[in-house]
Amino acid sequence: AVIIGLSLVAFAYFDLGADKQHLTSKLDSAMLAETQWVADELARNSMNSAVAHFKEIFSTIGHVHDFRIADPHGTPVFQTCRVESLPIPALPQKRVKTTQTFVRDSKSYRLVDCPVTTSTGEEVWLRNIGSMQDIDEHIAYLRVNNYAMVPALLLLALLGGISITHILLRPVIRLAESAKKMSSEDGRIQFDEDFEVDEIAYLTKALNVAFGKVQVTAEKMSQFTADAAHELRSPVAAIRL
């Protein structure tokens, strides 16, 4: 029962990990698609025209995540207002697209770094920052619900373990009761062999064979004692006469 309960707890824990990984993958997909759109705009335009275009777009329709456009040294050239004061990790050492998670002020963020070369040959970094607050809140909610079910699951596992143990031990209990009720009128020991469990039936047969051999030995000893007493009775009677 304890093993079953611990297994349920471990399953709940790993299930939460799988849920978080799935939600993080969905966030990555959205961020990568958005990053690719902005990167394409940068590649088709010069830095100044692209920045002016982004400022107009973001101020008009808003944006899902926060962006920074940085030079090769990491100095921001353009950034949305929500991330101006947010410290983020340093740029990758290699100019390859990367994703990572970082934490600031106990809040988790997802970061996509994408190297871009503009139409005028300028090498810049496009950095897309997405908050994982919704994911963390969802996982925290599931964790509270799952862990609240742990006592009930442990109780259910305990009751199930007791029931299974009782079912498994029922043939053994029956065998013990059969031994208590065994008739001793003729001095013979014989167990019932009609058990549904093959192992118990095999055990009873083995016990019957063993006790049968003991019974044969006991009968021989009893017969020997009777014969010896009879043989000794006649000489003793003759001496008395």
Side-chain angles (χ1 to χ4, degrees), residues 68-86:
R68 285 185 184 179
I69 300 175
D71 62 19
H73 303 290
T75 303
V77 177
F78 166 76
Q79 55 189 0
T80 56
C81 60
R82 288 189 289 176
V83 296
E84 289 180 354
S85 60
L86 179 65

Side-chain angles (χ1 to χ4, degrees), residues 10 44 63 70 74 78 89 92 102 105 115 122 125 143 163 169 208 217-218 237-238:
R44 286 194 295 265
H63 52 287
F78 166 76
F102 67 97
D105 298 328
E122 299 169 283
W125 280 93
R143 181 178 291 110
S163 300
L169 291 180
N208 286 335
T217 303

Side-chain angles (χ1 to χ4, degrees), residues 167-168 171 193-204:
I167 293 174
L168 293 177
E193 298 180 0
D194 57 339
F195 287 93
E196 296 179 357
V197 181
D198 294 339
E199 290 78 4
I200 301 298
Y202 180 80
L203 175 62
T204 55

Side-chain angles (χ1 to χ4, degrees), residues 96-117:
V96 293
K97 185 183 295 185
T98 59
T99 58
Q100 61 176 304
T101 299
F102 67 97
V103 180
R104 293 290 184 270
D105 298 328
S106 302
K107 295 181 180 179
S108 299
Y109 298 88
R110 197 70 174 159
L111 173 63
V112 177
D113 282 313
C114 178
V116 182
T117 302

Side-chain angles (χ1 to χ4, degrees), residues 30-63:
M31 291 179 65
L32 288 170
E34 191 178 35
T35 301
Q36 188 61 49
W37 176 80
V38 177
D40 292 342
E41 289 293 320
L42 278 173
R44 286 194 295 265
N45 298 277
S46 66
M47 174 67 72
N48 293 332
S49 61
V51 168
H53 181 56
F54 292 147
K55 287 181 178 179
E56 179 181 356
I57 292 176
F58 292 146
S59 62
T60 304
I61 64 174
H63 52 287

Side-chain angles (χ1 to χ4, degrees), residues 106-150:
S106 302
K107 295 181 180 179
S108 299
Y109 298 88
R110 197 70 174 159
L111 173 63
V112 177
D113 282 313
C114 178
V116 182
T117 302
T118 66
S119 61
T120 56
E122 299 169 283
E123 292 185 349
V124 297
W125 280 93
L126 178 60
R127 317 197 75 183
N128 189 359
I129 303 99
S131 174
M132 298 182 67
Q133 182 176 356
D134 292 342
I135 296 176
D136 292 338
E137 290 178 352
H138 179 70
I139 295 300
Y141 172 78
L142 292 179
R143 181 178 291 110
V144 171
N145 286 348
N146 285 357
Y147 288 171
M149 295 174 59
V150 167

Side-chain angles (χ1 to χ4, degrees), residues 2-54:
V2 174
I3 294 175
I4 295 175
L6 293 177
S7 299
L8 292 173
V9 174
F11 174 77
Y13 176 80
F14 287 114
D15 189 48
L16 289 178
D19 285 343
K20 185 171 184 177
Q21 185 177 4
H22 173 69
L23 293 174
T24 303
S25 297
K26 292 181 64 176
L27 176 63
D28 285 348
S29 298
M31 291 179 65
L32 288 170
E34 191 178 35
T35 301
Q36 188 61 49
W37 176 80
V38 177
D40 292 342
E41 289 293 320
L42 278 173
R44 286 194 295 265
N45 298 277
S46 66
M47 174 67 72
N48 293 332
S49 61
V51 168
H53 181 56
F54 292 147

